[in-house]
Amino acid sequence: MTSFPDLGIRVGGAAGDGIATLGESFARLFTRNGYHAYGHTAYQSVIRGGHVWFHARGSAERAWSLGDGIDILYAYNEQTAEIHAPFLRKGGVLVHDPEKFKFPADRMPAGTRLVPVPALEMSRKYASDPILSGSAGMGAITFLAGFPFETLVGILKDNFGTKKQEILDQNLGTAEAGYKYVKERERPVERAFSPNRGAEKLLITGNQAIAMGAAAAGCQFLAQYPMTPASTVMHWMADHASSLGIVVKQAEDELAAINMAIGASHAGVRAMTATSGGGFSLMVEALGMAGMTETPLVVVNSQRTGPSTGLPTKTEQGDLDLMLGAGQGDFPRAILAPGDVSEAYHSTMEAFRLAEDWQTPVLLASDFGLSENFQSADRSDFPMDFVPPHLYAQAPPTTPGGFRRYMHTPSGVSPRAFPGQKGFNFVAGSDEHDEFGHLISDVKVGVPPAIEERRHMMEKRMRKLDGMRNAMKAPDLEGPANAQLTIVAWGSTAGAVRDALRELNSDGSKVNFLHISRVYPVKSIEVAKALVHTPKTLLVEANYTAKLGGLIRKETGIDLPNRLLKYDGEPFHPAEIVERARGVLAAGGH
Amino acid sequence: MTTTQTAMEGVAGKALPVVVGKSDTKPTWCPGCGDYGVVAAVERALKTLAIPSHEVFIVSGIGCSSNLPHFLSSYGFHSIHGRALPVASGAKLANHALTVIATGGDGDGYGIGGGHFIHSMRRNLDITYIVMNNEIYGLTTGQASPTSEMGHKTKSTPLGVIERPINPIALALAAGATYVSRGFSGDVKHLGDLIANGIKHRGFSLVDVLSPCVTYNKINTFDYFRQRLYKLEGSAHDPSNLVSAFEKAQEWGPKIPIGLFYQTDRPTYEELEPALRNGPLVQQPGGLRGKEHLLDEFV
Ligand SMILES: Cc1ncc(C[n+]2csc(CCOP(=O)(O)OP(=O)(O)O)c2C)c(N)n1
Ligand code: SF4
Ligand SMILES: [Mg+2]
């Protein structure tokens, strides 16, 4: 359906076959030849066996999502061929090793062909481990996709560079055999790319961008408990912790993780924790403590399919209400939801800035799709010029009558001091307190001065919510102004919407996209303006109850009746959004 | 010297009090509560060690006992129920130049915070953990706690407790704590010494304090303990002997030991953490300026 060069390579097999490494390498064929790429990883909560696949999409224009079609399918087993071959586009191929399984030609879609490659046989020349045969497939696919063998040599060298020379040589030899084998017998697929389109691009996951964004913002402390799809935030940080001077603490549980981060932030370093819904649920009480003690804190919640353990390796946007409501009582919070890797980097930096400026927790909502999938990007997407102010080196401002850590101010923001700084001793507390931090929750509670103090403290903290709202940017309206239809989405759903938008607007329709990447506090006026000026709307969300729709109705009174909701754990494909949008455009009414 | 006076004098540029004293907040505990002895012992220990008050950070959870930080003039953090240790651990990792003390009750530390208790000990951060163990939930008006003895009739166990109490000393020895002690809030001098030595000790120190709740625990009273307690210091026990420490940890009945059960030297977590090799994190610059080479791994 796209009018520009666009190519989909999918590889599938069982866990343990090395599918993710193959898939990532295919994505790099694109980025190293200067194309945009998107790498979708589909795996299961098993370490061996099962069915896993990886889709690498290359594109001459920005690849916002995994797209809609397969041109080269590399099937490690029959199950992969059965599941994915029906989605082969015209001119596409199914690459398989006939020694593993045979696939009847009459089960192939019209206009596609089989490309048998004796990969196991080729690898046996070098080693008995069947894992090596993947390189033969890689060689074959490099040719079928239109790329020179040299690109693959570079990728293999990087993949195996740290291993023994012998291993690299085996892989290079097998890959070359695969490449030559198909070159002698086959032609590239119809949509094959021409090489060397431009400067090589980066290939990065959302979690890597988040971790790097945190470090760029000055984060020096990450406490985390492993949970898919948030764990790779910790992996990137841990890999770089010692050289960057960041303490990465794997905690005994999420309760410890968030409380450690609060302790570190209170003591004067920028701190973060990252988790998924189950772990975030455990963090709820401490989140309120960060609000009450006015401790800056960034919490990454990378959502997966719920409820409960749900589908641990699948995507959803089901935690919005949880994030909005986490914690007893009212306290100010912000929720940011970046839509792509570049936004993930910048939103994380923004989260730290907001947390620090307003001394309150900020949630960064990601999801499996953004966190674990790969996207191409340019170096300029990740500027590293920011110099975070040195918190502990700053002398706290003096306040009348002693140090008023919770001094009433017009903005609600009070002066901070850190343990160790001379002359500012105070006690912070999760109980309600006065300006000095003294409890008003026990012997003073219910006595008139304390009643008034409680009201003032509440208002002081909540003023920060209005301050944040004013400081935050309004959501972007992407695409043409005065559209016939406005699509509304948040977070990583933006990817498939942006791809769909390109398609929808290619036939003269006018569709635009209200991307809510700053979910809370809601810029109610700006959101309302964007929505009342459009004839039709379509809400696209990956959850059952249209949670963003509910928030928008609550904050603006505007109902978004046309909805495309998905809760099967699978990513949005641009085509399903296009189809639904066309339906809405064609229908009468709003 | 009081918290607010401390800051005021700081503002006025006058001499600052060097050590921790009482704050201007009067303890709100019931008259006769064991925790008065604990706050006095902490004050005494900090005075003995002469640590400047701004370099002391006392973190607590929730419970009667957890109100303690408010009554002293150091920096403090009164956190949520069970989470004193992780908050203290985060602060210690951020600034290991601080003297970090965690405090709370038996419910706070051995019940709801039990997981953190075990892991903090094997982690061996240089934190002193003082547990005011009254074998009851005081603040919530007298339910059974993880250390309530078998048969103890409380509001939540009107027919008596039917599960074995936690043995914090044995647990600490098993979990790898490097300083394991028990004190009594009726002997402030002895308790103050245990706390001072715990603070001086490099690594995680546990000071379990038998600190009677005079309102809700009518069994484990001051008299109960006075009749039973004896000091390990005068006995043949060698605190470097782990096996002997385990034996002493099992003594509970007509004779109950207090004092130092075990002490050993093991590298602290902060000594082993590579990111802290250049000093406390709070002193280090953060950010990625000039680190564009990090992007090379994504090509
Ligand atoms: C998450 C949570 N659960 C329950 C409570 C209620 N609560 C407050 S203090 C306490 C127990 C206190 O016992 P302990 O820690 O032994 O302290 P003590 O009052 O005996 O000194 C409980 C259950 C709470 N504050 N937070
Ligand atoms: S209830 Fe018990 S523990 Fe609480 S203050 Fe009173 S005596 Fe102390
Ligand atoms: Mg108790």
Side-chain angles (χ1 to χ4, degrees):
Chain A
M1 67 185 215
T2 43
S3 49
F4 46 85
D6 186 82
L7 181 67
I9 305 176
R10 186 169 298 187
V11 54
D17 284 343
I19 301 299
T21 312
L22 285 173
E24 203 183 317
S25 301
F26 292 139
R28 276 192 216 286
L29 285 176
F30 296 124
T31 53
R32 292 205 177 175
N33 279 286
Y35 286 91
H36 299 270
Y38 189 96
H40 175 90
T41 178
Y43 63 94
Q44 302 170 323
S45 211
V46 292
I47 307 303
R48 296 241 153 215
H51 175 59
V52 300
W53 55 276
F54 190 104
H55 186 90
R57 173 190 180 198
S59 173
E61 289 188 21
R62 183 84 188 242
W64 292 111
S65 70
L66 82 166
D68 289 303
I70 310 171
D71 301 295
I72 300 173
L73 174 62
Y74 182 19
Y76 257 59
N77 53 29
E78 198 164 2
Q79 186 191 20
T80 303
E82 278 165 1
I83 294 173
H84 301 277
F87 302 101
L88 274 169
R89 288 194 278 213
K90 198 176 137 295
V93 296
L94 167 61
V95 179
H96 71 112
D97 187 342
E99 190 182 320
K100 283 189 183 161
F101 70 95
K102 301 204 169 51
F103 200 69
D106 60 6
R107 288 178 61 189
M108 292 286 286
T112 65
R113 68 194 144 111
L114 285 162
V115 175
V117 180
L120 281 169
E121 195 183 307
M122 290 169 183
S123 69
R124 245 177 248 125
K125 198 179 133 196
Y126 296 94
S128 57
D129 190 345
I131 195 93
L132 188 59
S133 70
S135 289
M138 261 200 249
I141 286 164
T142 302
F143 173 77
L144 291 166
F147 293 119
F149 185 61
E150 289 68 49
T151 310
L152 182 56
V153 171
I155 292 168
L156 289 173
K157 277 188 177 158
D158 289 341
N159 286 359
F160 298 104
T162 54
K163 302 229 171 78
K164 276 193 296 196
Q165 181 69 33
E166 192 194 346
I167 308 259
L168 174 62
D169 290 344
Q170 291 171 355
N171 279 281
L172 286 173
T174 316
E176 192 170 11
Y179 187 91
K180 282 190 174 149
Y181 183 89
V182 288
K183 191 175 177 197
E184 282 159 15
R185 292 165 179 80
E186 305 279 346
R187 58 185 192 286
V189 294
E190 263 178 38
R191 287 168 168 266
F193 280 0
S194 44
N196 300 321
R197 181 175 167 273
E200 43 183 32
K201 294 190 175 295
L202 308 179
L203 187 70
I204 181 173
T205 69
N207 277 355
Q208 288 169 332
I210 288 168
M212 203 162 60
C219 175
Q220 288 175 289
F221 186 88
L222 173 78
Q224 188 172 340
Y225 187 80
M227 186 168 189
T228 305
S231 301
T232 52
V233 171
M234 176 163 61
H235 299 171
W236 189 91
M237 280 291 204
D239 276 346
H240 300 87
S242 115
S243 67
L244 297 178
I246 296 172
V247 168
V248 175
K249 185 75 206 82
Q250 180 180 336
E252 56 269 27
D253 53 34
E254 287 87 351
L255 304 164
I258 187 169
N259 282 287
M260 283 178 179
I262 290 170
S265 173
H266 180 83
V269 301
R270 296 176 180 87
M272 177 167 97
T273 184
T275 185
S276 188
F280 184 71
S281 298
L282 290 181
M283 295 183 177
V284 168
E285 189 193 14
L287 195 75
M289 175 166 74
M292 188 57 143
T293 57
E294 308 197 36
T295 308
L297 177 71
V298 175
V299 181
V300 179
N301 178 25
S302 180
Q303 302 158 94
R304 62 192 215 187
T305 317
S308 196
T309 308
L311 303 173
T313 61
K314 293 290 168 185
T315 205
E316 197 165 83
Q317 298 179 296
D319 297 356
L320 182 56
D321 292 335
L322 173 67
M323 291 186 278
L324 284 165
Q328 63 270 34
D330 285 312
F331 57 91
R333 78 190 73 200
I335 304 174
L336 306 181
D340 59 61
V341 289
S342 165
E343 285 178 15
Y345 182 82
H346 291 277
S347 292
T348 308
M349 293 190 72
E350 184 175 342
F352 275 91
R353 193 165 63 241
L354 283 170
E356 199 164 309
D357 285 353
W358 302 98
Q359 298 182 15
T360 209
V362 177
L363 308 179
L364 189 85
S366 182
D367 55 48
F368 186 93
L370 175 63
S371 280
E372 297 226 350
N373 287 338
F374 292 82
Q375 293 174 40
S376 56
D378 295 318
R379 283 177 184 266
S380 56
D381 288 323
F382 309 105
M384 293 187 179
D385 48 356
F386 177 65
V387 181
H390 196 163
L391 297 170
Y392 192 75
Q394 296 166 19
T398 53
T399 53
F403 182 57
R404 296 173 190 248
R405 167 63 185 95
Y406 301 107
M407 189 164 79
H408 296 301
T409 61
S411 67
V413 178
S414 313
R416 273 178 99 191
F418 308 111
Q421 290 180 321
K422 195 169 173 180
F424 298 89
N425 301 21
F426 71 97
V427 180
S430 67
D431 281 63
E432 189 60 281
H433 42 257
D434 65 13
E435 291 180 281
F436 298 95
H438 300 147
L439 297 192
I440 58 165
S441 58
D442 51 18
V443 288
K444 293 182 182 147
V445 75
V447 178
I451 296 173
E452 205 175 316
E453 183 61 63
R454 151 70 183 178
R455 199 174 60 243
H456 286 158
M457 267 300 152
M458 210 46 210
E459 288 162 1
K460 162 199 143 52
R461 286 189 296 266
M462 294 312 289
R463 274 200 296 283
K464 300 192 292 181
L465 187 65
D466 298 324
M468 272 196 291
R469 192 191 320 269
N470 290 334
M472 275 160 77
K473 264 188 70 199
D476 289 325
L477 198 57
E478 301 177 16
N482 304 324
Q484 304 152 282
L485 170 71
T486 296
I487 298 179
V488 183
W490 64 291
S492 77
T493 302
V497 172
R498 285 168 178 160
D499 272 332
L501 216 60
R502 199 156 43 195
E503 174 72 12
L504 285 163
N505 288 329
S506 68
D507 69 358
S509 317
K510 283 179 100 181
V511 181
N512 61 16
F513 170 34
L514 185 67
H515 180 211
I516 313 278
S517 63
R518 294 173 185 86
V519 179
Y520 196 82
V522 180
K523 299 286 274 189
S524 318
I525 294 168
E526 291 81 354
V527 170
K529 271 189 191 152
L531 294 176
V532 295
H533 288 137
T534 186
K536 285 178 174 170
T537 60
L538 171 62
L539 176 70
V540 185
E541 280 192 74
N543 60 54
Y544 191 89
T545 49
K547 291 171 193 293
L548 178 68
L551 179 66
I552 289 175
R553 188 170 52 216
K554 181 176 156 196
E555 296 270 341
T556 66
I558 296 171
D559 188 40
L560 305 176
N562 305 315
R563 293 160 178 190
L564 175 58
L565 303 175
K566 198 163 178 173
Y567 36 83
D568 57 7
E570 296 302 319
F572 277 108
H573 289 271
E576 57 193 325
I577 298 172
V578 168
E579 190 191 329
R580 187 65 213 277
R582 286 195 173 131
V584 173
L585 281 169
H590 289 280
Chain B
M1 202 44 72
T2 67
T3 315
T4 43
Q5 277 169 348
T6 306
M8 255 196 295
E9 292 189 15
V11 174
K14 280 196 233 145
L16 286 162
V18 224
V19 293
V20 173
K22 294 183 181 59
S23 73
D24 55 359
T25 304
K26 292 260 166 314
T28 44
W29 293 311
C30 306
C33 174
D35 296 349
Y36 285 98
V38 182
V39 74
V42 175
E43 189 185 339
R44 189 186 163 96
L46 289 168
K47 285 215 164 95
T48 312
L49 299 173
I51 305 168
S53 73
H54 64 276
E55 291 173 11
V56 177
F57 186 46
I58 308 182
V59 185
S60 65
I62 292 289
C64 294
S65 40
S66 289
N67 286 343
L68 184 140
H70 291 282
F71 312 139
L72 292 170
S73 66
S74 64
Y75 276 95
F77 197 108
H78 183 190
S79 77
I80 46 178
H81 196 31
R83 314 300 160 215
L85 280 173
V87 172
S89 303
K92 185 73 185 182
L93 286 165
N95 186 358
H96 62 269
L98 295 172
T99 294
V100 177
I101 299 172
T103 60
D106 42 324
D108 197 69
Y110 305 149
I112 191 168
H116 310 312
F117 178 56
I118 294 166
H119 292 280
S120 300
M121 291 188 287
R122 73 179 176 93
R123 194 164 289 146
N124 202 36
L125 277 159
D126 187 8
I127 291 174
T128 305
Y129 187 33
I130 303 167
V131 181
M132 286 157 261
N133 182 357
N134 53 15
E135 299 172 58
I136 200 83
Y137 280 13
L139 190 63
T140 45
T141 72
Q143 300 84 1
S145 96
T147 51
S148 296
E149 286 165 36
M150 288 284 280
H152 193 156
K153 291 183 174 144
T154 71
K155 277 191 186 160
S156 58
T157 57
L159 302 180
V161 169
I162 54 170
E163 54 194 344
R164 273 173 56 111
I166 273 189
N167 181 334
I169 302 294
L171 196 57
L173 294 170
T178 50
Y179 179 102
V180 181
S181 70
R182 180 194 283 144
F184 174 46
S185 58
D187 189 342
V188 172
K189 186 181 171 305
H190 179 251
L191 178 59
D193 289 347
L194 287 177
I195 293 171
N197 289 333
I199 293 170
K200 271 197 285 183
H201 171 77
R202 278 177 37 262
F204 190 91
S205 317
L206 172 68
V207 186
D208 177 71
V209 188
L210 303 171
S211 181
C213 167
V214 296
T215 306
Y216 295 111
N217 188 338
K218 303 294 183 190
I219 294 176
N220 310 100
T221 61
F222 277 100
D223 277 347
Y224 173 95
F225 288 118
R226 286 210 173 93
Q227 284 157 21
R228 290 168 171 81
L229 296 183
Y230 78 96
K231 288 186 182 142
L232 287 171
E233 286 76 24
S235 74
H237 173 61
D238 169 11
S240 69
N241 185 334
L242 184 60
V243 175
S244 167
F246 265 111
E247 273 171 19
K248 286 290 169 195
Q250 302 307 323
E251 276 183 31
W252 188 273
K255 283 174 77 66
I256 299 173
I258 56 170
L260 180 64
F261 285 76
Y262 184 64
Q263 183 169 17
T264 190
D265 190 34
R266 192 151 59 80
T268 63
Y269 190 93
E270 55 270 39
E271 283 166 354
L272 296 175
E273 167 57 61
L276 300 181
R277 63 182 167 250
N278 296 326
L281 268 191
V282 290
Q283 306 283 6
Q284 312 300 318
L288 292 183
R289 194 183 175 117
K291 304 252 161 61
E292 282 81 4
H293 62 85
L294 287 170
L295 296 172
D296 297 346
E297 71 182 81
F298 301 117
V299 173

